[in-house]
Amino acid sequence: SQKIEQNSEALNIQEGKTATLTCNYTNYSPAYLQWYRQDPGRGPVFLLLIRENEKEKRKERLKVTFDTTLKQSLFHITASQPADSATYLCALDGFADTGRRALTFGSGTRLQVQP
Amino acid sequence: DTAVSQTPKYLVTQMGNDKSIKCEQNLGHDTMYWYKQDSKKFLKIMFSYNNKELIINETVPNRFSPKSPDKAHLNLHINSLELGDSAVYFCASSQVPYTGTGRSAQETQYFGPGTRLLVL
């Protein structure tokens, strides 16, 4: 069956360092992959979208890579700041087991940036 | 100017009761969704409506009934609440619907602040 895996353990890094979060998937044919940020008590907020034929996408301090051979996406935040502390969700836009297109979310990785 | 709003923010109720959660979006989007986020933080789609028409209905008990009076509103009514219904429910909207098999460009989803439901 389809599975999306994100590191369930929190990632703790020092301010100024680069944070790298991983999203692995199996049994999917995603057309797009999206990354969202979720703060405690709030709804997810869209950050970046990358297409299946794109290797890399950047937006300010954010960078996303998408390797459809490895079935993996990496999400990088460079020069991290305490304000970047949040849970980051990856979401695969592709065909679910039902054969219908859907956006399916991973459980997210919590990032904690220490000052 | 909240893009996607939900009411109430918190809902505490007894098992067996019937309750509703309201959602409104002012983005002019054609598609709205309901998601459930459980204690393990998995966000799972429940329903999707495009222009007041149901297009996705995942494996959700029929105690849950979405209602879309117009394309800016998608309310969720839950009958005979059970302990396992306790979760955070998010409403979302997008311009492009998830309907068929095409691989056209998809837009992102805009989420509401969530409704925290606790069934006692």
Side-chain angles (χ1 to χ4, degrees):
Chain A
S1 63
Q2 295 168 319
K3 201 184 276 188
I4 303 171
E5 289 181 339
Q6 293 186 257
N7 229 345
S8 57
E9 291 180 16
L11 178 64
N12 290 290
I13 63 166
Q14 210 64 34
E15 184 176 6
K17 301 289 186 187
T18 296
T20 298
L21 286 70
T22 306
C23 176
N24 294 300
Y25 61 92
T26 54
N27 299 326
Y28 254 108
S29 298
Y32 304 88
L33 190 145
Q34 302 182 23
W35 282 88
Y36 287 75
R37 168 183 172 143
Q38 187 173 20
D39 290 284
R42 303 197 131 174
V45 174
F46 169 76
L47 295 174
L48 278 170
L49 177 152
I50 186 166
R51 293 176 172 77
E52 60 179 336
N53 59 356
E54 294 178 318
K55 296 292 184 190
E56 185 180 294
K57 201 80 169 281
R58 290 177 186 260
K59 179 183 175 183
E60 297 171 356
R61 294 185 296 111
L62 308 180
K63 184 177 88 171
V64 171
T65 62
F66 192 13
D67 190 327
T68 54
T69 303
L70 290 179
K71 297 187 185 298
Q72 181 182 78
S73 174
L74 299 178
F75 178 79
H76 307 272
I77 306 176
T78 57
S80 59
Q81 304 165 0
D84 295 326
S85 299
T87 296
Y88 292 86
L89 308 169
C90 77
L92 266 64
D93 175 350
F95 294 92
D97 287 334
T98 56
R100 187 182 53 241
R101 185 143 177 205
L103 188 66
T104 307
F105 285 83
S107 60
T109 298
R110 191 164 61 86
L111 172 67
Q112 190 70 38
V113 181
Q114 307 291 343
Chain B
D1 290 345
T2 306
V4 182
S5 58
Q6 294 179 231
T7 54
K9 189 168 183 182
Y10 299 97
L11 187 51
V12 181
T13 188
Q14 298 288 329
M15 224 166 45
N17 283 350
D18 303 338
K19 290 292 178 185
S20 292
I21 306 172
K22 294 186 177 180
C23 177
E24 177 181 359
Q25 55 97 2
N26 62 8
L27 298 166
H29 287 166
D30 290 330
T31 306
M32 296 183 73
Y33 311 82
W34 275 109
Y35 285 87
K36 178 180 179 180
Q37 189 170 45
D38 60 24
S39 56
K40 292 183 181 178
K41 302 300 181 187
F42 276 105
L43 199 62
K44 290 185 179 175
I45 190 165
M46 300 172 69
F47 300 103
S48 170
Y49 266 74
N50 177 246
N51 252 329
K52 303 193 298 174
E53 187 181 333
L54 180 67
I55 56 173
I56 291 178
N57 180 355
E58 289 299 325
T59 310
V60 176
N62 56 15
R63 298 181 294 105
F64 290 79
S65 53
K67 285 188 172 47
S68 182
D70 54 62
K71 76 172 195 177
H73 295 84
L74 181 62
N75 303 323
L76 184 65
H77 189 75
I78 315 170
N79 288 328
S80 304
L81 278 155
E82 300 178 357
L83 295 177
D85 296 333
S86 297
V88 183
Y89 292 84
F90 287 100
C91 177
S93 73
S94 72
Q95 184 56 43
V96 180
Y98 285 79
T99 53
T101 59
R103 284 182 176 254
S104 59
Q106 289 294 328
E107 289 191 12
T108 59
Q109 296 190 10
Y110 294 79
F111 285 82
T115 295
R116 282 137 197 87
L117 172 64
L118 178 60
V119 182
L120 303 174

PDB file of all heavy atoms in Angstrom, chain B residues 64-94:
ATOM      1  N   PHE B  64     -20.918  11.150   9.193  1.00  0.00           N
ATOM      2  CA  PHE B  64     -20.367  12.430   8.771  1.00  0.00           C
ATOM      3  C   PHE B  64     -21.047  12.827   7.458  1.00  0.00           C
ATOM      4  O   PHE B  64     -20.995  12.076   6.483  1.00  0.00           O
ATOM      5  CB  PHE B  64     -18.858  12.316   8.522  1.00  0.00           C
ATOM      6  CG  PHE B  64     -18.059  12.124   9.768  1.00  0.00           C
ATOM      7  CD1 PHE B  64     -17.970  10.878  10.373  1.00  0.00           C
ATOM      8  CD2 PHE B  64     -17.376  13.186  10.344  1.00  0.00           C
ATOM      9  CE1 PHE B  64     -17.227  10.683  11.530  1.00  0.00           C
ATOM     10  CE2 PHE B  64     -16.626  13.011  11.493  1.00  0.00           C
ATOM     11  CZ  PHE B  64     -16.552  11.756  12.090  1.00  0.00           C
ATOM     12  N   SER B  65     -21.664  13.998   7.447  1.00  0.00           N
ATOM     13  CA  SER B  65     -22.314  14.441   6.225  1.00  0.00           C
ATOM     14  C   SER B  65     -21.934  15.888   5.928  1.00  0.00           C
ATOM     15  O   SER B  65     -22.261  16.793   6.687  1.00  0.00           O
ATOM     16  CB  SER B  65     -23.834  14.284   6.327  1.00  0.00           C
ATOM     17  OG  SER B  65     -24.320  14.928   7.485  1.00  0.00           O
ATOM     18  N   PRO B  66     -21.236  16.083   4.821  1.00  0.00           N
ATOM     19  CA  PRO B  66     -20.898  17.439   4.416  1.00  0.00           C
ATOM     20  C   PRO B  66     -22.090  18.085   3.706  1.00  0.00           C
ATOM     21  O   PRO B  66     -22.897  17.403   3.075  1.00  0.00           O
ATOM     22  CB  PRO B  66     -19.736  17.226   3.439  1.00  0.00           C
ATOM     23  CG  PRO B  66     -19.965  15.870   2.876  1.00  0.00           C
ATOM     24  CD  PRO B  66     -20.708  15.070   3.894  1.00  0.00           C
ATOM     25  N   LYS B  67     -22.151  19.401   3.844  1.00  0.00           N
ATOM     26  CA  LYS B  67     -23.225  20.126   3.152  1.00  0.00           C
ATOM     27  C   LYS B  67     -22.636  21.414   2.596  1.00  0.00           C
ATOM     28  O   LYS B  67     -21.997  22.171   3.316  1.00  0.00           O
ATOM     29  CB  LYS B  67     -24.365  20.448   4.114  1.00  0.00           C
ATOM     30  CG  LYS B  67     -25.221  19.237   4.435  1.00  0.00           C
ATOM     31  CD  LYS B  67     -26.444  19.573   5.229  1.00  0.00           C
ATOM     32  CE  LYS B  67     -27.378  18.387   5.369  1.00  0.00           C
ATOM     33  NZ  LYS B  67     -26.731  17.140   5.763  1.00  0.00           N
ATOM     34  N   SER B  68     -22.882  21.660   1.318  1.00  0.00           N
ATOM     35  CA  SER B  68     -22.340  22.851   0.670  1.00  0.00           C
ATOM     36  C   SER B  68     -23.485  23.685   0.120  1.00  0.00           C
ATOM     37  O   SER B  68     -23.959  23.444  -0.993  1.00  0.00           O
ATOM     38  CB  SER B  68     -21.386  22.427  -0.452  1.00  0.00           C
ATOM     39  OG  SER B  68     -20.817  23.565  -1.067  1.00  0.00           O
ATOM     40  N   PRO B  69     -23.928  24.706   0.867  1.00  0.00           N
ATOM     41  CA  PRO B  69     -25.039  25.539   0.393  1.00  0.00           C
ATOM     42  C   PRO B  69     -24.655  26.398  -0.810  1.00  0.00           C
ATOM     43  O   PRO B  69     -25.496  26.740  -1.630  1.00  0.00           O
ATOM     44  CB  PRO B  69     -25.378  26.407   1.612  1.00  0.00           C
ATOM     45  CG  PRO B  69     -24.157  26.379   2.454  1.00  0.00           C
ATOM     46  CD  PRO B  69     -23.463  25.080   2.200  1.00  0.00           C
ATOM     47  N   ASP B  70     -23.370  26.754  -0.890  1.00  0.00           N
ATOM     48  CA  ASP B  70     -22.858  27.490  -2.044  1.00  0.00           C
ATOM     49  C   ASP B  70     -21.353  27.229  -2.098  1.00  0.00           C
ATOM     50  O   ASP B  70     -20.803  26.633  -1.175  1.00  0.00           O
ATOM     51  CB  ASP B  70     -23.153  28.992  -1.948  1.00  0.00           C
ATOM     52  CG  ASP B  70     -22.662  29.598  -0.653  1.00  0.00           C
ATOM     53  OD1 ASP B  70     -21.424  29.560  -0.406  1.00  0.00           O
ATOM     54  OD2 ASP B  70     -23.496  30.071   0.137  1.00  0.00           O
ATOM     55  N   LYS B  71     -20.690  27.689  -3.140  1.00  0.00           N
ATOM     56  CA  LYS B  71     -19.306  27.266  -3.307  1.00  0.00           C
ATOM     57  C   LYS B  71     -18.354  27.902  -2.301  1.00  0.00           C
ATOM     58  O   LYS B  71     -17.201  27.509  -2.208  1.00  0.00           O
ATOM     59  CB  LYS B  71     -18.828  27.489  -4.744  1.00  0.00           C
ATOM     60  CG  LYS B  71     -18.508  28.895  -5.124  1.00  0.00           C
ATOM     61  CD  LYS B  71     -17.870  28.904  -6.500  1.00  0.00           C
ATOM     62  CE  LYS B  71     -17.194  30.230  -6.778  1.00  0.00           C
ATOM     63  NZ  LYS B  71     -16.506  30.243  -8.086  1.00  0.00           N
ATOM     64  N   ALA B  72     -18.829  28.871  -1.545  1.00  0.00           N
ATOM     65  CA  ALA B  72     -17.980  29.502  -0.531  1.00  0.00           C
ATOM     66  C   ALA B  72     -18.118  28.836   0.836  1.00  0.00           C
ATOM     67  O   ALA B  72     -17.387  29.179   1.769  1.00  0.00           O
ATOM     68  CB  ALA B  72     -18.318  30.983  -0.411  1.00  0.00           C
ATOM     69  N   HIS B  73     -19.029  27.905   0.972  1.00  0.00           N
ATOM     70  CA  HIS B  73     -19.279  27.279   2.276  1.00  0.00           C
ATOM     71  C   HIS B  73     -19.296  25.764   2.160  1.00  0.00           C
ATOM     72  O   HIS B  73     -19.872  25.210   1.227  1.00  0.00           O
ATOM     73  CB  HIS B  73     -20.633  27.735   2.854  1.00  0.00           C
ATOM     74  CG  HIS B  73     -20.696  29.192   3.171  1.00  0.00           C
ATOM     75  ND1 HIS B  73     -20.988  30.144   2.216  1.00  0.00           N
ATOM     76  CD2 HIS B  73     -20.473  29.850   4.339  1.00  0.00           C
ATOM     77  CE1 HIS B  73     -20.957  31.335   2.788  1.00  0.00           C
ATOM     78  NE2 HIS B  73     -20.649  31.198   4.068  1.00  0.00           N
ATOM     79  N   LEU B  74     -18.664  25.121   3.138  1.00  0.00           N
ATOM     80  CA  LEU B  74     -18.741  23.661   3.232  1.00  0.00           C
ATOM     81  C   LEU B  74     -18.800  23.324   4.710  1.00  0.00           C
ATOM     82  O   LEU B  74     -17.833  23.478   5.435  1.00  0.00           O
ATOM     83  CB  LEU B  74     -17.531  22.985   2.585  1.00  0.00           C
ATOM     84  CG  LEU B  74     -17.547  21.453   2.633  1.00  0.00           C
ATOM     85  CD1 LEU B  74     -18.748  20.903   1.856  1.00  0.00           C
ATOM     86  CD2 LEU B  74     -16.253  20.864   2.073  1.00  0.00           C
ATOM     87  N   ASN B  75     -19.967  22.901   5.148  1.00  0.00           N
ATOM     88  CA  ASN B  75     -20.172  22.584   6.555  1.00  0.00           C
ATOM     89  C   ASN B  75     -20.094  21.082   6.758  1.00  0.00           C
ATOM     90  O   ASN B  75     -20.368  20.289   5.847  1.00  0.00           O
ATOM     91  CB  ASN B  75     -21.531  23.122   7.020  1.00  0.00           C
ATOM     92  CG  ASN B  75     -21.651  24.623   6.775  1.00  0.00           C
ATOM     93  OD1 ASN B  75     -20.676  25.362   6.919  1.00  0.00           O
ATOM     94  ND2 ASN B  75     -22.833  25.075   6.387  1.00  0.00           N
ATOM     95  N   LEU B  76     -19.721  20.699   7.965  1.00  0.00           N
ATOM     96  CA  LEU B  76     -19.595  19.274   8.299  1.00  0.00           C
ATOM     97  C   LEU B  76     -20.513  18.966   9.460  1.00  0.00           C
ATOM     98  O   LEU B  76     -20.358  19.543  10.542  1.00  0.00           O
ATOM     99  CB  LEU B  76     -18.150  18.943   8.661  1.00  0.00           C
ATOM    100  CG  LEU B  76     -17.832  17.474   8.945  1.00  0.00           C
ATOM    101  CD1 LEU B  76     -18.028  16.637   7.686  1.00  0.00           C
ATOM    102  CD2 LEU B  76     -16.394  17.323   9.455  1.00  0.00           C
ATOM    103  N   HIS B  77     -21.458  18.066   9.219  1.00  0.00           N
ATOM    104  CA  HIS B  77     -22.373  17.662  10.278  1.00  0.00           C
ATOM    105  C   HIS B  77     -22.021  16.254  10.722  1.00  0.00           C
ATOM    106  O   HIS B  77     -21.791  15.379   9.872  1.00  0.00           O
ATOM    107  CB  HIS B  77     -23.819  17.708   9.788  1.00  0.00           C
ATOM    108  CG  HIS B  77     -24.798  17.514  10.884  1.00  0.00           C
ATOM    109  ND1 HIS B  77     -25.095  18.481  11.802  1.00  0.00           N
ATOM    110  CD2 HIS B  77     -25.535  16.428  11.221  1.00  0.00           C
ATOM    111  CE1 HIS B  77     -25.982  18.016  12.670  1.00  0.00           C
ATOM    112  NE2 HIS B  77     -26.267  16.778  12.340  1.00  0.00           N
ATOM    113  N   ILE B  78     -21.941  16.054  12.037  1.00  0.00           N
ATOM    114  CA  ILE B  78     -21.575  14.735  12.560  1.00  0.00           C
ATOM    115  C   ILE B  78     -22.686  14.257  13.486  1.00  0.00           C
ATOM    116  O   ILE B  78     -23.032  14.944  14.468  1.00  0.00           O
ATOM    117  CB  ILE B  78     -20.251  14.780  13.347  1.00  0.00           C
ATOM    118  CG1 ILE B  78     -19.200  15.604  12.595  1.00  0.00           C
ATOM    119  CG2 ILE B  78     -19.740  13.357  13.573  1.00  0.00           C
ATOM    120  CD1 ILE B  78     -17.940  15.898  13.403  1.00  0.00           C
ATOM    121  N   ASN B  79     -23.228  13.110  13.176  1.00  0.00           N
ATOM    122  CA  ASN B  79     -24.279  12.505  14.011  1.00  0.00           C
ATOM    123  C   ASN B  79     -23.677  11.487  14.977  1.00  0.00           C
ATOM    124  O   ASN B  79     -22.650  10.869  14.691  1.00  0.00           O
ATOM    125  CB  ASN B  79     -25.309  11.772  13.135  1.00  0.00           C
ATOM    126  CG  ASN B  79     -26.179  12.739  12.364  1.00  0.00           C
ATOM    127  OD1 ASN B  79     -26.467  13.841  12.833  1.00  0.00           O
ATOM    128  ND2 ASN B  79     -26.590  12.331  11.181  1.00  0.00           N
ATOM    129  N   SER B  80     -24.349  11.317  16.088  1.00  0.00           N
ATOM    130  CA  SER B  80     -23.998  10.255  17.053  1.00  0.00           C
ATOM    131  C   SER B  80     -22.496  10.186  17.304  1.00  0.00           C
ATOM    132  O   SER B  80     -21.838   9.172  17.059  1.00  0.00           O
ATOM    133  CB  SER B  80     -24.475   8.889  16.515  1.00  0.00           C
ATOM    134  OG  SER B  80     -25.851   8.919  16.253  1.00  0.00           O
ATOM    135  N   LEU B  81     -21.957  11.268  17.802  1.00  0.00           N
ATOM    136  CA  LEU B  81     -20.515  11.374  18.004  1.00  0.00           C
ATOM    137  C   LEU B  81     -19.965  10.250  18.868  1.00  0.00           C
ATOM    138  O   LEU B  81     -20.596   9.819  19.848  1.00  0.00           O
ATOM    139  CB  LEU B  81     -20.186  12.726  18.632  1.00  0.00           C
ATOM    140  CG  LEU B  81     -20.112  13.855  17.603  1.00  0.00           C
ATOM    141  CD1 LEU B  81     -20.380  15.202  18.228  1.00  0.00           C
ATOM    142  CD2 LEU B  81     -18.737  13.836  16.929  1.00  0.00           C
ATOM    143  N   GLU B  82     -18.774   9.769  18.478  1.00  0.00           N
ATOM    144  CA  GLU B  82     -18.085   8.704  19.201  1.00  0.00           C
ATOM    145  C   GLU B  82     -16.749   9.222  19.714  1.00  0.00           C
ATOM    146  O   GLU B  82     -16.224  10.230  19.216  1.00  0.00           O
ATOM    147  CB  GLU B  82     -17.853   7.509  18.268  1.00  0.00           C
ATOM    148  CG  GLU B  82     -19.130   6.913  17.706  1.00  0.00           C
ATOM    149  CD  GLU B  82     -18.871   5.768  16.743  1.00  0.00           C
ATOM    150  OE1 GLU B  82     -17.688   5.469  16.458  1.00  0.00           O
ATOM    151  OE2 GLU B  82     -19.863   5.168  16.271  1.00  0.00           O
ATOM    152  N   LEU B  83     -16.191   8.492  20.694  1.00  0.00           N
ATOM    153  CA  LEU B  83     -14.920   8.915  21.291  1.00  0.00           C
ATOM    154  C   LEU B  83     -13.841   9.051  20.222  1.00  0.00           C
ATOM    155  O   LEU B  83     -13.018   9.978  20.257  1.00  0.00           O
ATOM    156  CB  LEU B  83     -14.474   7.904  22.353  1.00  0.00           C
ATOM    157  CG  LEU B  83     -15.361   7.767  23.584  1.00  0.00           C
ATOM    158  CD1 LEU B  83     -14.817   6.669  24.498  1.00  0.00           C
ATOM    159  CD2 LEU B  83     -15.447   9.091  24.337  1.00  0.00           C
ATOM    160  N   GLY B  84     -13.838   8.135  19.265  1.00  0.00           N
ATOM    161  CA  GLY B  84     -12.819   8.137  18.211  1.00  0.00           C
ATOM    162  C   GLY B  84     -12.919   9.296  17.244  1.00  0.00           C
ATOM    163  O   GLY B  84     -12.031   9.493  16.405  1.00  0.00           O
ATOM    164  N   ASP B  85     -13.988  10.069  17.345  1.00  0.00           N
ATOM    165  CA  ASP B  85     -14.121  11.240  16.469  1.00  0.00           C
ATOM    166  C   ASP B  85     -13.291  12.411  16.986  1.00  0.00           C
ATOM    167  O   ASP B  85     -13.136  13.419  16.279  1.00  0.00           O
ATOM    168  CB  ASP B  85     -15.593  11.669  16.381  1.00  0.00           C
ATOM    169  CG  ASP B  85     -16.463  10.604  15.741  1.00  0.00           C
ATOM    170  OD1 ASP B  85     -15.929   9.798  14.934  1.00  0.00           O
ATOM    171  OD2 ASP B  85     -17.669  10.560  16.055  1.00  0.00           O
ATOM    172  N   SER B  86     -12.777  12.292  18.200  1.00  0.00           N
ATOM    173  CA  SER B  86     -11.961  13.374  18.773  1.00  0.00           C
ATOM    174  C   SER B  86     -10.716  13.574  17.906  1.00  0.00           C
ATOM    175  O   SER B  86      -9.950  12.639  17.676  1.00  0.00           O
ATOM    176  CB  SER B  86     -11.534  13.026  20.202  1.00  0.00           C
ATOM    177  OG  SER B  86     -12.661  12.904  21.038  1.00  0.00           O
ATOM    178  N   ALA B  87     -10.544  14.779  17.427  1.00  0.00           N
ATOM    179  CA  ALA B  87      -9.435  15.103  16.517  1.00  0.00           C
ATOM    180  C   ALA B  87      -9.534  16.589  16.203  1.00  0.00           C
ATOM    181  O   ALA B  87     -10.420  17.284  16.709  1.00  0.00           O
ATOM    182  CB  ALA B  87      -9.543  14.298  15.221  1.00  0.00           C
ATOM    183  N   VAL B  88      -8.610  17.036  15.354  1.00  0.00           N
ATOM    184  CA  VAL B  88      -8.714  18.398  14.827  1.00  0.00           C
ATOM    185  C   VAL B  88      -9.203  18.285  13.386  1.00  0.00           C
ATOM    186  O   VAL B  88      -8.656  17.511  12.593  1.00  0.00           O
ATOM    187  CB  VAL B  88      -7.363  19.142  14.867  1.00  0.00           C
ATOM    188  CG1 VAL B  88      -7.541  20.574  14.374  1.00  0.00           C
ATOM    189  CG2 VAL B  88      -6.792  19.133  16.279  1.00  0.00           C
ATOM    190  N   TYR B  89     -10.222  19.035  13.049  1.00  0.00           N
ATOM    191  CA  TYR B  89     -10.805  19.004  11.713  1.00  0.00           C
ATOM    192  C   TYR B  89     -10.453  20.303  10.994  1.00  0.00           C
ATOM    193  O   TYR B  89     -10.685  21.396  11.504  1.00  0.00           O
ATOM    194  CB  TYR B  89     -12.330  18.826  11.801  1.00  0.00           C
ATOM    195  CG  TYR B  89     -12.707  17.456  12.316  1.00  0.00           C
ATOM    196  CD1 TYR B  89     -12.744  17.193  13.686  1.00  0.00           C
ATOM    197  CD2 TYR B  89     -12.979  16.406  11.442  1.00  0.00           C
ATOM    198  CE1 TYR B  89     -13.051  15.925  14.164  1.00  0.00           C
ATOM    199  CE2 TYR B  89     -13.294  15.139  11.908  1.00  0.00           C
ATOM    200  CZ  TYR B  89     -13.320  14.910  13.278  1.00  0.00           C
ATOM    201  OH  TYR B  89     -13.618  13.654  13.740  1.00  0.00           O
ATOM    202  N   PHE B  90      -9.873  20.141   9.821  1.00  0.00           N
ATOM    203  CA  PHE B  90      -9.466  21.296   9.029  1.00  0.00           C
ATOM    204  C   PHE B  90     -10.293  21.380   7.753  1.00  0.00           C
ATOM    205  O   PHE B  90     -10.483  20.384   7.055  1.00  0.00           O
ATOM    206  CB  PHE B  90      -7.985  21.201   8.633  1.00  0.00           C
ATOM    207  CG  PHE B  90      -7.034  21.434   9.754  1.00  0.00           C
ATOM    208  CD1 PHE B  90      -6.430  20.373  10.405  1.00  0.00           C
ATOM    209  CD2 PHE B  90      -6.723  22.729  10.162  1.00  0.00           C
ATOM    210  CE1 PHE B  90      -5.542  20.582  11.445  1.00  0.00           C
ATOM    211  CE2 PHE B  90      -5.836  22.949  11.202  1.00  0.00           C
ATOM    212  CZ  PHE B  90      -5.252  21.876  11.853  1.00  0.00           C
ATOM    213  N   CYS B  91     -10.708  22.579   7.462  1.00  0.00           N
ATOM    214  CA  CYS B  91     -11.330  22.885   6.188  1.00  0.00           C
ATOM    215  C   CYS B  91     -10.239  23.495   5.300  1.00  0.00           C
ATOM    216  O   CYS B  91      -9.320  24.157   5.805  1.00  0.00           O
ATOM    217  CB  CYS B  91     -12.460  23.884   6.429  1.00  0.00           C
ATOM    218  SG  CYS B  91     -13.290  24.462   4.955  1.00  0.00           S
ATOM    219  N   ALA B  92     -10.328  23.272   4.005  1.00  0.00           N
ATOM    220  CA  ALA B  92      -9.351  23.843   3.083  1.00  0.00           C
ATOM    221  C   ALA B  92     -10.047  24.170   1.772  1.00  0.00           C
ATOM    222  O   ALA B  92     -11.152  23.682   1.501  1.00  0.00           O
ATOM    223  CB  ALA B  92      -8.184  22.883   2.838  1.00  0.00           C
ATOM    224  N   SER B  93      -9.396  25.000   0.975  1.00  0.00           N
ATOM    225  CA  SER B  93      -9.945  25.297  -0.344  1.00  0.00           C
ATOM    226  C   SER B  93      -8.811  25.399  -1.356  1.00  0.00           C
ATOM    227  O   SER B  93      -7.653  25.633  -0.998  1.00  0.00           O
ATOM    228  CB  SER B  93     -10.753  26.602  -0.337  1.00  0.00           C
ATOM    229  OG  SER B  93      -9.906  27.732  -0.250  1.00  0.00           O
ATOM    230  N   SER B  94      -9.149  25.192  -2.616  1.00  0.00           N
ATOM    231  CA  SER B  94      -8.175  25.374  -3.694  1.00  0.00           C
ATOM    232  C   SER B  94      -8.920  25.797  -4.947  1.00  0.00           C
ATOM    233  O   SER B  94     -10.129  25.580  -5.076  1.00  0.00           O
ATOM    234  CB  SER B  94      -7.371  24.096  -3.957  1.00  0.00           C
ATOM    235  OG  SER B  94      -8.168  23.113  -4.585  1.00  0.00           O
TER     236      SER B  94
END
